[in-house]
Amino acid sequence: MIEELLREIDQEATTSRKMLERIPADKFGWKPHAKSMTIERLSNHIAELPGWIGVTLNTEQLDFAVNPYEPTSFDNTGDLLAFFERTLE
């Protein structure tokens, strides 16, 4: 099962990396709709996701009142991709 999970993570990482590297430097503030997240917020969330795997597997409950969540904030593609690669490791 671990091998299947690792293959799936690798496939998803390839897709996520392609999306993240294509964000134009001058469009991090773009929103498709007034009620939507900016591409900066959404891309930071995507870059954080691999880091949540360990938390999910090793935590019995997730309570943000006890362990506050501080979202990442990168506003350039280079730093965002570097962060994604670190969380993927």
Side-chain angles (χ1 to χ4, degrees):
M1 187 166 171
I2 297 288
E3 289 175 16
E4 285 182 42
L5 180 60
L6 289 173
R7 272 194 303 275
E8 185 173 341
I9 290 170
D10 194 41
Q11 290 172 350
E12 292 298 326
T14 299
T15 303
S16 297
R17 193 177 293 109
K18 285 179 184 177
M19 178 272 189
L20 295 173
E21 67 190 10
R22 284 169 171 74
I23 301 170
D26 63 339
K27 298 296 182 194
F28 273 81
W30 179 79
K31 292 165 61 165
H33 185 273
K35 292 183 179 182
S36 299
M37 288 187 213
T38 62
I39 196 69
E40 176 184 355
R41 182 64 209 119
L42 181 58
S43 63
N44 277 268
H45 176 66
I46 290 169
E48 288 178 333
L49 289 177
W52 284 83
I53 296 170
V55 173
T56 303
L57 294 175
N58 298 311
T59 305
E60 290 185 26
Q61 70 178 28
L62 187 59
D63 184 351
F64 289 128
V66 175
N67 298 309
Y69 167 67
E70 191 65 38
T72 59
S73 184
F74 298 99
D75 62 358
N76 70 75
T77 306
D79 290 345
L80 183 63
L81 283 169
F83 175 72
F84 175 69
E85 296 301 334
R86 286 193 308 272
T87 62
L88 194 54
E89 286 178 15

